[in-house]
Amino acid sequence: MVLPSHFLEVTLEQGPFFIPKDSQLGKAGIMASDCEPALNQAESRNPTLERYLGALREAKNDSEQFAALLLVTKAVKAGDIDAKTRRRIFDAVGFTFPNRLLTSKEAPDGCPDHVLRALGVALLACFCSDPELATHPQVLNKIPILSTFLTARGDPDDAARRSMIDDTYQCLTAVAGTPRGPRHLIAGGTVSALCQAYLGHGYGFDQALALLVGLLAAAETQCWKEAEPDLLAVLRGLSEDFQKAEDASKFELCQLLPLFLPPTTVPSECLRDLQAGLARILGSKLSSWQRNPALKLAARLAHACGSDWIPVGSSGSKFLALLVNLACVEVRLALEETGTEVKEDVVTACYALMELGIQECTRCEQSLLKEPQKVQLVSIMKEAIGAVIHYLLQVGPEKQKEPFVFASVRILGAWLAEETSSLRKEVCQLLPFLVRYAKTLYEEAEEANDLSQQVANLAISPTTPGPTWPGDALRLLLPGWCHLTVEDGPREILIKEGAPSLLCKYFLQQWELTSPGHDTSVLPDSVEIGLQTCCHIFLNLVVTAPGLIKRDACFTSLMNTLMTSLPALVQQQGRLLLAANVATLGLLMARLLSTSPALQGTPASRGFFAAAILFLSQSHVARATPGSDQAVLALSPDYEGIWADLQELWFLGMQAFTGCVPLLPWLAPAALRSRWPQELLQLLGSVSPNSVKPEMVAAYQGVLVELARANRLCREAMRLQAGEETASHYRMAALEQCLSEP
C-alpha cells in the first residue's frame, strides 16, 4: 500500500506512533505478496534480524511494536522471508496488533479511513501464507470482517484500497485451501460478498469469481443453502454474458457455467440464454477444445432439466437433433478406434445427451422431435451403442471398477430398456460380461455407490444435482433384462450365467430396505421401481422357464419372502402397484411350488392368500349412476388412477389364483371364510350386466367355478347368494352347470 504523507500519525488505544514514508513499510507497505517464502533459504540466522525480533517481542505499546516491525522489514528483504522466519515474526507480533488495526474506527487527519484496515489485512495475509496460521481461530473469526471489505465503497483508483482488496482475497483464498476452510467461509457470509463483488465488477471481481468457483466445487450444497439469491444473480449475469459473447470468452464460460447451475430449478431466463448460446456454438465449425466444453454444458443441463431447457418448435427440434448427432459422432470416434486415448469426461457427457435422445425418441406425447427425426436419430444412436458394446467387450477384470465402464454400462442399459431387437447378436455376445459385471458390483455395493458418484463427477459437475444416478449396475440393467427374458436366446444365456440367482439375491436385499424398521418415506422411487421390474423378470421366467422355478432353491427363498411380505404391503397407502406385482408373482409361483411344505396351509401361506384375495377383491365396486335405478361396475378409487398399469397384473392374478385352488385343498375353505365368493356374487347381482365387460365376466367365472368344484360348502354358499340366477344373467354357463350339480 502507498501511504499519503511523509509521516503518518496513527492513533490507537496505546497512543500515537509514526511511519516514515521512506521506510521499507512506507515504500511498499506490508503486502502479502511480499511474504511468499523463498526457495533454498539459508538456515543461518541474521544477527540483526534476531535483535529486531527481540525488540518486537519486548515492545510495550503499539508505537514500540510498530517501530520494531519497521526495523524487521529493513533487516530482511520481504521476498527472502521463508516460512520459519515468517512464523517467528508472527510469534513476535501476535494477533493483538492486527486485530486493533482491523477494528479501529478512527484515523488521523489527512489519512483515509481504510489505511489502518489495509495495514491490518496486509499483516493478516502475510500470516495466512502459513497453512497452520490460516486455520487459526483468530484468522477464522476475521472472515466476516474480511468479507465486508470486498464490497466496501471507495475510490477505485486508490492504490492502498486495491492492495487491501488483493490482501483480502489472499487471506480468504488461503483459508479456502484448508480442509474445513470452505465451511468457515460459507458460514462467515463470504459467498454472498463474493457474488456482490463480482456483480459490481469493481477491482478484483475476477478474483471473486475464481474464489466462488473453488467454494462451489468444494461445498456446492452449503453454498446454495446460504446464498441462493446471490448465486442466482451471478448465474443470470454469466448466462447473459454467454448469450451475448462473440469472442473466445464464450468457451471459457462453457467451463464455468456448469458450476453455477443450482441444485433446484434453473431460472427460465437463464435456460433461454444458455440454449441460445449453445445453439450458436454447436452450430459452428469448431475444434475439439471449443466443442467439448459446450457438449459438457449441454449434458449438465440435460442431466438437471431433461429437455425442459430446449424450446418447443422447429428450432428446438433441430437443436436437439444436432446435440444427439454430435454426441453420437463423438462416442463413435472415441470408442471405435482402438489404441486412441478416450476423453472419458467428454464421452460420458455425450452419454447423457444420448439418454436425452432416447427419452425423446420414445416419448409419445409432446415430444420435441418429429417422426422422421426420431427414425434418423435411432439409426445414429444404434451405431453409437454398437461402439459402446465394442468397447465393453474389451474391458478386462482390472478395469471393471472404473467410473467410465460404469457410465458405458449405464447408457447401454438405457438403450436396452427401450430397444432390444436391434444389435441382438452383439447384445447376446456381451450378456456374460454384463452378468459378471453386475454381480461384481452387487457384491461390493459400497464401491458401486461410490462409482455412481464418480460417474456424475466425470460427466457433469463436481456434484450431482438433478435425478440421482442409480448406485448399482443391476438397477441399470433390469429394464433391458426384462425384455430379454422374453426371448429364448438371451434368456438361456442369462440363466446359464446365473442371472436369476443374482436377481433373487438382489430383490431380497432391496426388499429389506422397505421392511418394517426402515423409513420408506426417504427411499428413492428407484428402489420401488427396481423391485417392480424384478417382479416382471420373475414373471417372465415363471411363464417361459417353469422348470427353473421348481429346481432353483433361490426361488423358494423368494416365495417365502413374498408370502411374509404381502399382508403388510397391501395395507400401505400408495404402494398398490408394488403389491399387485408381489401378489401376482406369488400366485403364479405358488402354482409351480404347490407341493412345497411352506404352502400346505402354514400361517405364512394363509396370510399370503388372504392378502392376495384382498388385492383381487377390492378392485371394483358398484357405483350408482344418475337417472338409472341400477348401479354399474366401476373401479375402486385406489385402483382407478393406476388401472392402466395394474389391469394386466390383476387379470393374471385372477387366473393364477384360479389355478391354485385345485392344487391347494385348504384354499377353497379359506376363500369361503373370507366371504370373497359371496361378496363377488353380491356385487355382480347389484350392478347392470351390461356394465361388466366380457373379460371381467370370464375372470370372475373362472374363480367361482374352481371354488365351487373344489368345495361343497362353497357351492352351497353360492347357491344361497343367488349364484345360479346371477350365472344365468351373465351367461356363465360353466358356473351355472357346476351349481346345478349336487
Side-chain angles (χ1 to χ4, degrees):
M1 66 188 193
V2 178
L3 300 178
S5 59
H6 181 69
F7 286 101
L8 172 62
E9 181 180 13
V10 181
T11 304
L12 297 172
E13 296 177 7
Q14 301 295 329
F17 57 85
F18 299 90
I19 304 175
K21 186 177 180 181
D22 58 355
S23 70
Q24 178 81 355
L25 181 64
K27 288 178 180 179
I30 306 178
M31 289 285 291
S33 57
D34 294 332
C35 297
E36 295 299 323
L39 298 177
N40 302 319
Q41 174 67 25
E43 291 296 327
S44 59
R45 294 185 176 181
N46 183 328
T48 305
L49 174 62
E50 292 301 314
R51 187 166 61 253
Y52 293 160
L53 285 176
L56 188 58
R57 285 190 293 268
E58 295 171 5
K60 296 182 176 60
N61 54 47
D62 287 336
S63 294
E64 293 181 6
Q65 192 171 29
F66 199 85
L69 186 60
L70 293 179
L71 295 174
V72 169
T73 63
K74 287 183 177 181
V76 295
K77 292 181 180 180
D80 291 337
I81 299 178
D82 62 8
K84 291 182 179 179
T85 304
R86 183 173 55 249
R87 184 58 186 252
R88 295 177 65 230
I89 294 174
F90 162 75
D91 290 338
V93 175
F95 279 111
T96 303
F97 185 49
N99 286 350
R100 286 203 294 275
L101 288 170
L102 288 171
T103 57
S104 179
K105 298 180 180 179
E106 297 180 2
D109 295 339
C111 174
D113 293 341
H114 62 272
V115 168
L116 301 183
R117 293 191 295 273
L119 180 57
V121 175
L123 284 169
L124 204 61
C126 182
F127 297 151
C128 280
S129 56
D130 183 334
E132 290 186 12
L133 293 179
T135 61
H136 194 285
Q138 287 285 353
V139 171
L140 300 179
N141 65 22
K142 301 299 181 299
I143 290 174
I145 297 176
L146 293 172
S147 298
T148 63
F149 295 164
L150 300 179
T151 55
R153 295 182 180 181
D155 182 1
D157 297 323
D158 187 331
R161 182 176 294 279
R162 289 192 173 200
S163 69
M164 182 178 74
I165 292 174
D166 286 334
D167 289 343
T168 299
Y169 280 118
Q170 183 159 338
C171 286
L172 297 175
T173 302
V175 174
T178 63
R180 297 182 62 84
R183 293 186 181 182
H184 290 296
L185 292 176
I186 294 167
T190 303
V191 176
S192 291
L194 290 171
C195 291
Q196 293 166 25
Y198 173 75
L199 292 170
H201 276 65
Y203 179 77
F205 79 98
D206 52 338
Q207 297 181 70
L209 185 63
L211 189 49
L212 265 180
V213 167
L215 291 177
L216 284 167
E220 182 191 42
T221 301
Q222 292 88 341
C223 286
W224 281 100
K225 183 178 179 181
E226 291 294 327
E228 182 173 350
D230 295 304
L231 286 169
L232 286 176
V234 173
L235 173 61
R236 290 187 182 95
L238 292 174
S239 301
E240 188 175 348
D241 291 345
F242 179 63
Q243 193 272 335
K244 294 178 180 178
E246 298 291 345
D247 55 12
S249 66
K250 60 187 176 183
F251 304 114
E252 298 173 4
L253 286 169
C254 276
Q255 296 176 324
L256 283 179
L257 279 163
L259 291 162
F260 286 89
L261 295 178
T264 52
T265 305
V266 182
S268 58
E269 64 271 23
C270 296
L271 293 178
R272 285 195 298 269
D273 287 341
L274 294 174
Q275 189 276 330
L278 282 172
R280 284 208 308 274
I281 290 176
L282 295 174
S284 307
K285 188 175 181 180
L286 303 171
S287 60
S288 60
W289 74 267
Q290 296 170 320
R291 181 178 60 253
N292 292 346
L295 289 173
K296 292 170 72 172
L297 174 58
R300 174 67 173 80
L301 288 167
H303 186 55
C305 309
S307 61
D308 293 344
W309 61 287
I310 301 175
V312 177
S314 175
S315 63
S317 64
K318 289 180 181 178
F319 175 71
L320 176 58
L322 173 65
L323 269 184
V324 178
N325 206 327
L326 289 173
C328 290
V329 170
E330 191 71 33
V331 168
R332 291 189 63 189
L333 287 175
L335 301 184
E336 285 182 346
E337 298 181 15
T338 55
T340 59
E341 183 180 354
V342 177
K343 295 179 179 178
E344 296 179 350
D345 57 338
V346 178
V347 176
T348 309
C350 291
Y351 287 166
L353 296 175
M354 287 175 61
E355 280 199 56
L356 180 62
I358 292 170
Q359 292 167 8
E360 286 300 315
C361 285
T362 55
R363 180 180 293 182
C364 299
E365 298 180 359
Q366 298 181 335
S367 174
L368 293 171
L369 300 170
K370 298 177 180 178
E371 202 59 36
Q373 290 174 313
K374 290 183 179 181
V375 173
Q376 183 182 21
L377 285 183
V378 167
S379 176
I380 294 170
M381 287 190 289
K382 174 183 173 181
E383 294 175 348
I385 292 297
V388 174
I389 294 175
H390 171 75
Y391 165 76
L392 289 175
L393 284 170
Q394 301 174 64
V395 172
E398 72 283 355
K399 288 189 174 183
Q400 286 193 11
K401 295 180 182 179
E402 294 184 1
F404 184 65
V405 175
F406 188 92
S408 301
V409 171
R410 174 186 166 87
I411 186 61
L412 178 61
W415 172 265
L416 293 177
E418 306 295 343
E419 173 58 60
T420 56
S421 59
S422 61
L423 299 171
R424 184 174 302 177
K425 179 180 177 182
E426 292 84 352
V427 170
C428 287
Q429 188 179 0
L430 186 64
L431 276 180
F433 164 80
L434 293 178
V435 176
R436 291 194 300 271
Y437 180 77
K439 183 178 181 181
T440 298
L441 264 62
Y442 168 74
E443 291 174 348
E444 301 176 23
E446 211 170 293
E447 291 189 31
N449 286 324
D450 184 56
L451 270 180
S452 177
Q453 177 67 44
Q454 292 179 51
V455 169
N457 294 352
L458 179 69
I460 311 298
S461 73
T463 51
T464 55
T468 304
W469 288 35
D472 59 77
L474 259 176
R475 198 176 301 166
L476 306 176
L477 297 169
L478 287 177
W481 285 8
C482 186
H483 298 315
L484 292 171
T485 48
V486 177
E487 304 175 26
D488 293 340
R491 181 177 63 252
E492 290 175 3
I493 296 173
L494 288 170
I495 292 174
K496 180 182 177 182
E497 296 296 331
S501 177
L502 175 61
L503 288 169
C504 283
K505 294 176 183 177
Y506 177 77
F507 181 90
L508 297 176
Q509 183 245 13
Q510 292 290 294
W511 190 263
E512 281 296 314
L513 299 177
T514 69
S515 62
H518 291 79
D519 185 2
T520 56
S521 64
V522 300
L523 285 178
D525 292 340
S526 57
V527 172
E528 190 152 317
I529 293 172
L531 289 169
Q532 293 177 22
T533 310
C534 280
C535 288
H536 296 167
I537 295 175
F538 295 141
L539 286 170
N540 290 341
L541 294 176
V542 167
V543 174
T544 60
L548 174 70
I549 308 300
K550 293 179 179 179
R551 69 174 180 266
D552 199 322
C554 71
F555 288 101
T556 301
S557 299
L558 177 61
M559 184 71 214
N560 290 335
T561 298
L562 299 179
M563 288 195 298
T564 57
S565 302
L566 186 62
L569 184 60
V570 293
Q571 303 291 342
Q572 297 176 18
Q573 290 290 328
R575 308 192 73 192
L576 182 57
L577 192 55
L578 180 58
N581 278 277
V582 171
T584 304
L585 175 60
L587 290 169
L588 284 168
M589 289 180 62
R591 288 196 311 179
L592 299 176
L593 302 174
S594 59
T595 58
S596 169
L599 286 163
Q600 306 311 310
T602 61
S605 62
R606 289 180 181 275
F608 169 78
F609 276 94
I613 289 172
L614 194 64
F615 158 66
L616 296 171
S617 65
Q618 293 187 340
S619 61
H620 290 78
V621 295
R623 183 176 297 168
T625 55
S628 174
D629 294 336
Q630 202 167 17
V632 296
L633 188 71
L635 286 166
S636 301
D638 289 343
Y639 289 67
E640 193 169 13
I642 58 172
W643 186 246
D645 298 319
L646 199 64
Q647 61 177 334
E648 186 176 351
L649 291 167
W650 187 88
F651 280 108
L652 194 56
M654 290 288 285
Q655 182 183 352
F657 186 92
T658 300
C660 288
V661 172
L663 299 174
L664 301 171
W666 60 269
L667 184 53
L672 182 61
R673 285 192 296 273
S674 75
R675 294 192 55 79
W676 185 27
Q678 300 97 308
E679 291 173 356
L680 179 51
L681 287 169
Q682 183 180 3
L683 175 65
L684 292 173
S686 65
V687 300
S688 168
N690 293 332
S691 69
V692 186
K693 295 179 180 180
E695 60 267 26
M696 294 294 299
V697 173
Y700 286 146
Q701 178 176 226
V703 170
L704 292 170
V705 166
E706 286 301 330
L707 289 173
R709 287 174 179 171
N711 187 271
R712 177 180 58 81
L713 295 177
C714 281
R715 290 194 297 275
E716 293 177 359
M718 290 181 195
R719 292 191 190 104
L720 292 173
Q721 196 62 50
E724 292 177 90
E725 182 181 349
T726 301
S728 175
H729 286 162
Y730 285 89
R731 298 180 181 179
M732 296 180 178
L735 178 60
E736 190 174 4
Q737 180 181 354
C738 183
L739 293 179
S740 66
E741 297 173 356

